[in-house]
Each structure stands twice: as structure tokens, then as C-alpha cells.
Amino acid sequence: GSRSRGTLSVTSGVYESPSIQFLGSAARLEVMKPKPLFSIGLFADAQYADKDDYERPSEKGRTKYFRAVPERLAVALRDFKSKGEGLACVVNLGDLYDGVNDDDVTVEVPTRMGAIP
């Protein structure tokens, strides 16, 4: 059989790629590259709330920026969209908005099991 190194057809003006059987063919290497079955985007703990920023007294320097969440999620979405391959889905792993929780020890929380230190 003949082995083509890639030719330009004079009659049609179309380049014909080399066969992947040709030793050293770049097309052969492309076929062999591992590719993911799918890609997904993940995010967690967005914690949106219409309330002022909050720094837990027991964790100095760890501030929750509740009202900044929409912009942070927009940045994440732009990043997800910028990926070369499309995402099969984007998954929120929880806490999209900040509800009643243990940050505010003055609020009665049904799931709280004991005294807050």
C-alpha cells in the first residue's frame, strides 16, 4: 500500500491529511491523547444574604461577604464558560444562601444540640 505524507491535490486545491498509519504522523498522536468523558463545574458555600459582612469572633480574619455573592458567582460562571470544552453541568454543593445557622448565637436554631461556647 502507499504511504502518504500529506499532499495538496492540484485539481481540487484541498490538502489531504496524512494517514494516521504513517509513522510520525501528528494525526496519530492526536488520536492517542487521553480525553475526559465529560467535565463538570462545582461550587459550594456561596452564602448569599441581604445582610452586612460578618466576621465570627472566634475566627478573626475570616469574613463572610454576603452581598458580594452574586458578583462572585458571575465570576465563577465566566470561568466555567471560558473552559475550552463545554461542561456537562454545574453543580452547587450547598449553602447557596445564608440562612439561620450557628453564626448568630442569639437565634434559636432547631438543629442546635447544645450550648454555644
Side-chain angles (χ1 to χ4, degrees), residues 30-117:
E30 188 62 32
V31 170
M32 296 171 64
K33 284 184 182 175
K35 293 184 172 87
L37 295 176
F38 60 90
S39 296
I40 61 172
L42 302 173
F43 72 95
D45 293 331
Q47 299 285 344
Y48 173 77
D50 186 17
K51 59 185 182 182
D52 294 335
D53 298 345
Y54 178 79
E55 180 180 53
R56 190 181 296 190
S58 63
E59 297 180 69
K60 294 291 184 198
R62 183 174 176 215
T63 304
K64 291 183 178 182
Y65 301 98
F66 299 110
R67 290 186 183 106
V69 169
E71 179 55 31
R72 290 194 335 250
L73 288 177
V75 169
L77 184 58
R78 281 194 300 272
D79 185 61
F80 290 145
K81 287 181 175 181
S82 74
K83 303 303 176 202
E85 298 178 18
L87 297 176
C89 63
V90 175
V91 179
N92 169 20
L93 298 177
D95 293 338
L96 184 57
Y97 68 95
D98 187 66
V100 177
N101 60 32
D102 286 342
D103 286 345
D104 185 351
V105 297
T106 64
V107 174
E108 194 62 39
V109 179
T111 57
R112 189 176 292 147
M113 301 305 264
I116 303 298

